[in-house]
Amino acid sequence: MSEGSHWRFALSPTPKPKPRTTRNGRGPVSALARVSPDERRERILEAAREVFIASGLNGARTKDISDRAGVAEGLIFKHFESKEGLFEAAVTAPLERMLAGVVETAKSMATSAPEDRIAASEALHDQLQRTMVDVMPLLGLGLFSDRARGERFYREHIAPLIEESSRLVGEAMAGWANPEPDPRFVFLVMWGTHLALALDATFQDGPVDIEAAARELTALLSRSYSQPHRKAGTRAAKR
């Protein structure tokens, strides 16, 4: 998605396609009849995301999803075993893919040369913010649509992301002058900041300047943790 963009769904009913007739005029045939199964599946997934965002998992009806996708309700169950299976494919799977990209970017920060770590840090913040903006509507569904489902999603996907990214951030900070930062705390600060920026952009309907945010957060953390540690009670040297 483009910088600063976020999910925008028109939640008014989607007009049903006008029926088309066969050449012999014997009856209507759906415009989707000529669409490939893969494209029909993607239309169902897109419609499902819209309905899940509007109504939540428990409030969503497969009839509403089929109407929005312009397909027969029974077609949904040819592609997905249940509404819960559709939720996993429409919401959980995209979240998994996008969150996995954060770890890959964190790896590049951990293995970068010291002189390249500022650029690598900015790249990590950029990736975190873009991912957070993109997943925001789905993240709320994944975590809060159902308590048991949310706990499972957090344990299986969010917690491992935090732990692995924290480890990689710790490796990247190992050569910094200040020996005291807790890598997990640092990553949670990063995660929480990007979450707050994405929430603000989503509900205030304003874009995030992602590149500026990445530069600012990199500068803030590098100033805080790369400077020589000063013991409590000591005074800074006079300028």
Side-chain angles (χ1 to χ4, degrees):
M1 299 180 73
S2 61
E3 178 177 320
S5 64
H6 53 277
W7 288 78
R8 297 175 185 272
F9 293 125
L11 296 177
S12 58
T14 301
K16 293 183 179 179
K18 294 181 180 180
R20 301 174 64 90
T21 57
T22 58
R23 288 184 178 180
N24 59 17
R26 291 184 177 177
V29 59
S30 169
L32 289 178
R34 298 189 305 266
V35 174
S36 71
D38 287 344
E39 186 173 345
R40 276 198 294 270
R41 186 178 189 276
E42 286 306 311
R43 290 190 185 189
I44 293 170
L45 289 173
E46 182 178 352
R49 280 189 282 269
E50 295 174 357
V51 174
F52 284 134
I53 287 171
S55 304
L57 172 60
N58 294 330
R61 301 187 310 165
T62 53
K63 180 64 168 61
D64 295 334
I65 294 170
S66 66
D67 286 347
R68 188 170 295 277
V71 301
E73 186 176 8
L75 188 61
I76 291 177
F77 298 102
K78 288 186 178 180
H79 290 279
F80 309 96
E81 293 182 357
S82 62
K83 185 174 75 169
E84 288 70 22
L86 176 57
F87 184 91
E88 291 291 328
V91 176
T92 304
L95 277 173
E96 292 173 1
R97 290 193 297 269
M98 286 186 274
L99 293 175
V102 173
V103 175
E104 291 304 311
T105 306
K107 287 179 181 178
S108 66
M109 181 181 175
T111 57
S112 60
E115 63 272 16
D116 296 328
R117 283 181 183 164
I118 293 297
S121 177
E122 290 184 3
L124 176 58
H125 285 295
D126 187 287
Q127 175 72 12
L128 266 172
Q129 188 58 60
R130 291 180 190 279
T131 300
M132 199 67 75
V133 168
D134 282 350
V135 306
M136 179 55 60
L138 301 185
L139 189 62
L141 285 172
L143 291 174
F144 305 117
S145 61
D146 176 82
R147 177 62 183 264
R149 180 186 296 275
E151 289 179 351
R152 186 172 67 251
F153 181 81
Y154 191 91
R155 288 196 304 269
E156 294 178 357
H157 302 290
I158 303 295
L161 163 73
I162 291 172
E163 296 308 316
E164 178 64 7
S165 297
S166 298
R167 182 184 68 79
L168 294 167
V169 167
E171 291 180 8
M173 298 174 69
W176 288 15
N178 188 337
E180 294 185 356
D182 177 347
R184 191 174 191 276
F185 175 80
V186 172
F187 185 77
L188 285 174
V189 168
M190 293 163 54
W191 175 268
T193 301
H194 289 294
L195 176 62
L197 288 169
L199 280 169
D200 189 63
T202 299
F203 293 110
Q204 293 287 358
D205 198 27
V208 179
D209 188 338
I210 294 177
E211 292 182 0
R215 289 193 302 269
E216 188 69 22
L217 283 165
T218 293
L220 180 65
L221 290 170
S222 64
R223 285 196 300 266
S224 299
Y225 288 112
S226 64
Q227 301 301 315
H229 179 58
R230 191 169 63 247
K231 292 183 179 180
T234 62
R235 299 181 64 182
K238 293 183 179 180
R239 295 182 179 178

